[in-house]
Amino acid sequence: MTDSAVHPAAKAPTREEVEADREDFKPLTREEAQKLREASPSLSPWWVVAGQLVVGVVVACAAWALTGRQSVAWSAFYGALAVVVPAALFVRGLTSKVSSMNAGAAVFAFFLWEMVKIALTVAMLFAAPRLIENLSWPAMLVGLIVAMKVYLGALWFKPKRPVTHQT
């Protein structure tokens, strides 16, 4: 690839630019850091798990109301539980003290708990026919998919930054 094919913005910064950035860097004071945290609040992962559980209950109630069959409602709820239970375990693992010891431990913990989450979800799906009498696979998959999509909704309904007017 020739230099003319590379986008100008993709070039690495020069040593002078890096040094200029270092000179311009000013660490935040405690008050400035607090204001920054207040301006962009984070969303607790436990709220996402709670939202998944609530959505699972709503989907199960809707399935029962639409079909009149309790087994369809249990299937939909179990599908949501196949997302909620592993997600709760994942969040618990990531919020432990061991996971926050250092950056290496945090990365390792993330991948470890993600594998545990996937394995538990697959195990719950394989166990579904034995646990739910008259299992409705379509209802279970709807519960599973809708509960998984709560992550997207959490991004939309995340607490908004307060509007501040500077004078």
Side-chain angles (χ1 to χ4, degrees), residues 2-154:
T2 65
D3 284 338
S4 62
V6 176
H7 190 275
K11 290 184 180 179
T14 64
R15 172 171 274 170
E16 292 80 22
E17 291 171 336
V18 171
E19 290 300 322
D21 283 346
R22 284 187 186 157
E23 291 172 8
D24 292 341
F25 178 78
K26 181 187 115 194
L28 297 176
T29 65
R30 180 178 295 254
E31 293 79 24
E32 291 171 331
Q34 183 64 28
K35 284 182 183 178
L36 184 62
R37 279 189 214 100
E38 290 171 359
S40 56
S42 62
L43 181 66
S44 168
W46 289 110
W47 279 104
V48 176
V49 173
Q52 289 175 322
L53 184 61
V54 168
V55 166
V57 169
V58 169
V59 168
C61 290
W64 194 358
L66 290 172
T67 64
R69 294 176 39 209
Q70 193 173 12
S71 63
V72 173
W74 281 115
S75 298
F77 185 64
Y78 187 84
L81 282 181
V83 173
V84 172
V85 172
L89 189 62
F90 176 78
V91 170
R92 175 65 182 105
L94 287 185
T95 56
S96 70
K97 289 181 182 179
V98 174
S99 296
S100 60
M101 287 175 62
N102 61 45
V107 170
F108 177 77
F110 177 83
F111 285 110
L112 173 73
W113 288 108
E114 184 65 25
M115 287 188 297
V116 168
K117 183 174 88 168
I118 292 168
L120 183 55
T121 299
V122 170
M124 288 181 72
L125 293 177
F126 273 110
R130 290 183 209 100
L131 296 175
I132 306 294
E133 191 174 322
N134 298 322
L135 177 70
S136 169
W137 282 95
M140 186 182 73
L141 291 175
V142 166
L144 180 107
I145 292 168
V146 171
M148 284 185 349
K149 295 301 178 185
V150 168
Y151 288 113
L152 296 174

